[in-house]
Amino acid sequence: MAEPTIQDHLAMATAIVGFITLLGGTWARLAAWTEQRSIKAKFQDEIGLAERRIAFLGTWVKAQEAVCTPERFAEVKQESARELDELRRKLTEFMQQADARKDKVSAGKSVRRMFLLFLPHNLGGWICHLLFYGLVLFVLLFTLQPPGIDIETGQMETWGQWLELQLVVNIVFAIPILVVRSLAIRFYRKRD
């Protein structure tokens, strides 16, 4: 059995990167969808409860007006006003919590965009995602590699030489990684 070649390793790395991109994008969409659905469902429940409570209070006040003395009816109106104020306070509190959740979701969007954890919508987006993850994978694999033997001299590299090489590679590849990332985000926004 022949030993795998560089092309075999690159093909495997490309397949892995593609799978990770698809998995990350799908996971991010699923998480955002469930969060939005949860917020929407809770909002509908709260609004429904408030509407039923308001309708009940309106009916109750009308019924009390017909059977109560004017002094007692004034007390009923005050109690109803307190109930409505409490209901307004609860709805306001709920809306603030919903806004905080939306902020949390938008913060999650920034993390997803930082690492391109969203599903591309077009061919350009897929190409940028694959290039981004391929470059990041290359830099990570190169960075995790310990000092080796210098081919020209046949001697072991020093940690200083290794560090210099790491810095050069990381700086050289940082620019293409950032450019490809910004292109991927631009392709994503074109759809929106």
Side-chain angles (χ1 to χ4, degrees), residues 65 71 77 93 95 114:
E65 184 178 22
E71 297 83 26
K77 287 193 323 188
E93 185 179 299
M95 294 301 287
M114 183 187 322

Side-chain angles (χ1 to χ4, degrees), residues 108-129:
K109 284 183 180 180
S110 65
V111 170
R112 290 193 332 248
R113 286 193 175 167
M114 183 187 322
F115 296 109
L116 297 184
L117 297 175
F118 52 84
L119 195 61
H121 303 297
N122 51 33
L123 181 62
W126 278 105
I127 290 170
C128 289
H129 268 70

Side-chain angles (χ1 to χ4, degrees), residues 24-150:
T26 304
W27 180 264
R29 277 191 188 259
L30 183 62
W33 178 75
T34 56
E35 181 73 19
Q36 287 174 353
R37 197 166 161 179
S38 172
I39 290 171
K40 216 179 263 188
K42 286 181 183 177
F43 180 72
Q44 292 299 327
D45 289 346
E46 290 291 326
I47 292 296
L49 181 65
E51 287 173 345
R52 288 190 303 274
R53 189 70 183 153
I54 290 169
F56 169 76
L57 287 173
T59 305
W60 186 64
V61 167
K62 285 180 184 176
Q64 293 298 315
E65 184 178 22
V67 296
C68 286
T69 63
E71 297 83 26
R72 174 69 183 131
F73 183 64
E75 290 174 15
V76 167
K77 287 193 323 188
Q78 286 178 349
E79 289 174 16
S80 296
R82 279 194 297 271
E83 286 268 341
L84 289 172
D85 284 341
E86 179 65 20
L87 188 60
R88 183 183 52 79
R89 186 192 61 75
K90 284 182 179 178
L91 284 176
T92 303
E93 185 179 299
F94 177 78
M95 294 301 287
Q96 288 171 347
Q97 290 173 351
D99 288 343
R101 284 189 189 134
K102 285 181 184 176
D103 291 343
K104 179 182 156 193
V105 169
S106 66
K109 284 183 180 180
S110 65
V111 170
R112 290 193 332 248
R113 286 193 175 167
M114 183 187 322
F115 296 109
L116 297 184
L117 297 175
F118 52 84
L119 195 61
H121 303 297
N122 51 33
L123 181 62
W126 278 105
I127 290 170
C128 289
H129 268 70
L130 291 173
L131 281 172
F132 174 80
Y133 284 115
L135 289 169
V136 168
L137 182 66
F138 174 78
V139 169
L140 283 176
L141 290 175
F142 190 81
T143 303
L144 296 175
Q145 198 173 36
I149 297 175
D150 188 1

